Amino acid sequence: KDYLAGTAPEEWVSLRSRQFYEQIKVDLRTDDPAAELNPSKKSLLLQSGRTVPYDALLLATGAEPRRLALAGSDLPTVFTLRTLNDAKAIIAAARTARRAVIVGSSFIGLEAAAALRTRGLEVAVVSRDRVPLERVLGAQLGQFVQALHEKHGVRFHLTTSPRAIHTQTVELENGVVLEADFVVLGVGVRPRVALATKAGLKVDDGIVVDSHLRTSFPGVWAAGDIARYPDPRQGTSVRIEHWVLAQRQGQSVARDMLGLGERFRDVPFFWSRHYDVTLSYVGHATADDAIEVLGNIARHDATVIYRRAGRPVAVVTVGRDRLSLAIEAALERDDVDAVETLLADN
């Protein structure tokens, strides 16, 4: 986000350098993608034709951005934001642009909007949603985020979608035509499961794994955006697209491969920064959960609680980072009483 906004150098983007992997004797190959997995023979065929045998294999192929099936969506001025190269392309376009249109009021779309406003561009957000982020955060918090962006000059066109994208304009279904030097699509992602599907692994909107993140074939694990795993607290299977969770799942798989693993029980956590405001989200809620607001969201000092059958399943804090960390620790222990005490005291 900071790199896209121009406030952080590219050196900050990579979690590890190539030299790090060389030092720990990891053969890092970024130019020869996997083409075919044969779990019965425990081998992986690469695009170059090279075959790599394995004893244990982790699939962490992530997700890819969705694109819209409409006229102009394949123009060179239409971008998605998923990779460093995507960010570089948007930054290059922003250097000579005045106006940008963001399609989608998700976290990706709104964070891109904030970054481009930081660069001084005029930004319009187009979304089918009635309120940005309502399905994830609820109406009250979504309205707060919308107002925050509007305060910084972002214009919203809600309950509508693009009808067509042209080289300098975006035509909406409601008849409005927006000027745009370029467009960023933030309309969700789909898990990259082609390799797993072809190999015969169990797939259902993601690769189905057990509580140890093991797939339906012995010796093969899956983690990150592609993994649909059993939520130990809610009794349902979930697939969660947060990079902190992906890191923690990778660590859990590494331990399990070495025979040291336990069931994956980490509580999902992510944060989303919009200008000078950060939302910290811990747990996992759905659109059907009851919402309770403590404090004052407008003053950037609030706790939003998501309850299912009266039990807190997720909490979002604004300006209360210490509380967020304490609640995460209590949820990790399955200590609902401690969560309730923390909420009552704040």
Side-chain angles (χ1 to χ4, degrees):
K1 304 160 194 176
D2 292 336
Y3 175 66
L4 186 61
T7 59
E10 185 176 327
E11 292 73 33
W12 288 10
V13 176
S14 298
L15 295 177
R16 299 287 189 180
S17 67
R18 183 171 289 273
Q19 289 71 29
F20 167 81
Y21 294 104
E22 292 174 354
Q23 290 170 1
I24 63 171
K25 296 181 172 59
V26 168
D27 182 8
L28 177 64
R29 294 181 175 268
T30 58
D31 56 353
D32 193 5
E36 187 174 328
L37 168 63
N38 190 328
S40 60
K41 294 184 178 180
K42 289 195 170 184
S43 67
L44 187 70
L45 176 67
L46 306 185
Q47 195 174 77
S48 64
R50 178 192 177 199
T51 298
V52 180
Y54 66 84
D55 296 310
L57 182 140
L58 168 61
L59 291 171
T61 46
E64 58 190 18
R66 296 180 184 273
R67 298 194 73 97
L68 297 176
L70 52 82
S73 63
D74 57 349
L75 287 171
T77 52
V78 178
F79 304 98
T80 56
L81 178 56
R82 185 70 179 180
T83 67
L84 176 59
N85 285 336
D86 291 338
K88 288 180 177 178
I90 293 170
I91 290 169
R95 291 194 180 104
T96 57
R98 289 182 53 209
R99 302 180 182 88
V101 168
I102 310 294
V103 179
S105 59
S106 63
F107 288 111
I108 287 291
L110 294 180
E111 288 169 357
L116 294 175
R117 282 299 296 142
T118 301
R119 287 183 174 271
L121 275 71
E122 297 178 22
V123 176
V125 173
V126 178
S127 174
R128 294 181 298 179
D129 295 336
R130 182 179 65 91
V131 175
L133 298 172
E134 181 177 16
R135 287 175 292 177
V136 180
L137 301 178
Q140 192 170 347
L141 198 51
Q143 288 166 351
F144 163 74
V145 174
Q146 179 181 346
L148 178 64
H149 279 268
E150 289 175 335
K151 179 181 177 182
H152 285 81
V154 175
R155 295 172 291 115
F156 283 85
H157 299 266
L158 301 172
T159 65
T160 190
S161 299
R163 177 182 293 154
I165 300 174
H166 308 287
T167 53
Q168 292 294 320
T169 61
V170 177
E171 179 185 351
L172 305 185
E173 290 180 345
N174 62 7
V176 173
V177 176
L178 303 175
E179 294 185 21
D181 297 307
F182 66 90
V183 176
V184 179
L185 301 178
V187 292
V189 297
R190 58 169 58 90
R192 288 192 175 112
V193 296
L195 194 69
T197 301
K198 186 177 179 181
L201 274 63
K202 185 177 181 180
V203 172
D204 180 13
D205 184 33
I207 301 173
V208 178
V209 296
D210 64 12
S211 59
H212 289 261
L213 306 177
R214 301 167 184 167
T215 72
S216 54
F217 273 88
V220 181
W221 287 255
D225 289 4
I226 59 170
R228 175 165 292 280
Y229 69 99
D231 186 317
R233 294 165 186 86
Q234 302 182 25
T236 59
S237 66
V238 294
R239 187 178 64 81
I240 299 176
E241 299 161 358
H242 305 325
W243 76 276
V244 172
L245 191 73
Q247 284 185 308
R248 292 176 177 178
Q249 287 183 344
Q251 294 163 352
S252 179
V253 167
R255 291 191 294 269
D256 200 44
M257 286 178 171
L258 295 171
L260 306 173
E262 298 177 350
R263 293 181 177 181
F264 182 75
R265 297 183 51 81
D266 288 33
V267 175
F269 167 82
F270 72 93
W271 69 93
S272 181
R273 189 166 68 252
H274 305 261
Y275 310 101
D276 60 341
V277 176
T278 298
L279 309 178
S280 296
Y281 187 115
V282 59
H284 180 65
T286 66
D288 297 328
D289 294 326
I291 301 175
E292 177 186 0
V293 179
L294 305 178
N296 191 312
I297 297 176
R299 294 179 183 174
H300 306 177
D301 181 23
T303 302
V304 182
I305 309 160
Y306 302 82
R307 295 183 182 276
R308 187 172 308 157
R311 178 189 178 98
V313 294
V315 173
V316 175
T317 58
V318 183
R320 298 179 174 183
D321 292 348
R322 185 180 295 274
L323 175 62
S324 178
L325 292 171
I327 289 174
E328 180 184 9
L331 288 175
E332 291 277 8
R333 302 191 304 269
D334 292 329
D335 192 342
V336 176
D337 291 339
V339 173
E340 294 288 13
T341 299
L342 288 165
L343 294 172
D345 292 343
N346 288 271

